[in-house]
Amino acid sequence: MGFANIMSIETTGASRQTAQQDNLGCSGVQASNAMAQTDLDRMNNYITSSKEKLRYIISRVGEREGVDPAIIAGIISRESRAGNTIAHTGGWGDNYNGFGLMQVDKRSHKPIGLWDSEEHLTQATRILVRIIGEMQTKWAYWAGLSKEKQFKGALAYYNMGPPTSYEQVDAKTTGRDYSNDVVARAQWYKRHGY
C-alpha cells in the first residue's frame, strides 16, 4: 500500500526507556516485537464502541486511506497499547492532551469521534497521510530522501513535529525512539497477519 514498504524500512526498535513499560530486559527490535505481541490479543479481539472488532476497523481505514494496516496497528500499539492505557480515562492520554487509540493531540487538532471509533482512526490516519505528503514535498531535504526515510521522518513528526534530519529522526520524540519503535512494531504486525 501507498507510501512506503514498511518491511523495507531500517529500524533500531524500542529504546530501553520504552521497553521499561513492560519491564523487559532487552531493547531494540526484540523489545518492540515483545510489546507488539503483548498487544496482539487486544488488537485482534477488542470490541469497539461500535460493537465491531478493532482489527476490522484498522483494515478498513487502512484500505480506504492507502496506509498499510500494520502501520496503523503499530501506532495504536505504541500510543495506547491497543487501548489498554486509556480505556479508564475515556480515551485520554498524555496529560489529557492526546485522544484516542492513535492519540490525536487536541492542541493541534480537534479530535473527531469516540476514542475507539472508525472516525477517530480515520482522522488520525489522515493526519499521518498529510504529514507524509509534507515530508515528500514541503522540505527539500526530506524530498530528496527515499520514501522509506521520508516515512520514518513522518512517523517522528506525527509524535513531536518535524525532525531536523534523518540521522536525528528520533532526537525529539518520546523515548527518543518513536519512529524506530513504531516501524519495528508495524513490521511485527505485518508478519502476523496485518
Side-chain angles (χ1 to χ4, degrees), residues 109-147:
H109 308 279
K110 181 181 181 201
I112 297 172
L114 299 173
W115 67 273
D116 62 351
S117 69
E118 186 166 341
E119 293 84 5
H120 161 70
L121 292 182
T122 298
Q123 178 189 27
T125 302
R126 286 179 178 167
I127 291 167
L128 179 62
V129 168
R130 179 188 51 77
I131 290 169
I132 294 166
E134 287 183 19
M135 298 305 280
Q136 293 175 340
T137 60
K138 188 174 179 180
W139 295 291
Y141 168 81
W142 287 97
L145 299 179
S146 70
K147 288 186 184 277

Side-chain angles (χ1 to χ4, degrees), residues 16-32:
R16 188 158 301 282
Q17 176 185 347
T18 299
Q20 287 304 108
Q21 292 175 9
D22 287 12
N23 298 315
L24 299 174
C26 61
S27 60
V29 173
Q30 182 181 3
S32 296

Side-chain angles (χ1 to χ4, degrees), residues 29-86:
V29 173
Q30 182 181 3
S32 296
N33 291 345
M35 290 182 283
Q37 184 172 9
T38 296
D39 295 335
L40 181 63
D41 279 344
R42 296 179 196 135
M43 203 78 69
N44 285 342
N45 299 311
Y46 178 78
I47 304 295
T48 67
S49 55
S50 66
K51 309 295 185 239
E52 247 187 304
K53 284 191 177 183
L54 177 59
R55 179 185 179 110
Y56 301 136
I57 294 173
I58 291 169
S59 294
R60 213 168 34 244
V61 170
E63 186 170 321
R64 186 175 57 244
E65 302 303 324
V67 175
D68 191 323
I71 294 163
I72 297 170
I75 293 171
I76 291 171
S77 176
R78 169 65 185 231
E79 289 286 355
S80 67
R81 301 306 302 271
N84 194 52
T85 61
I86 58 171

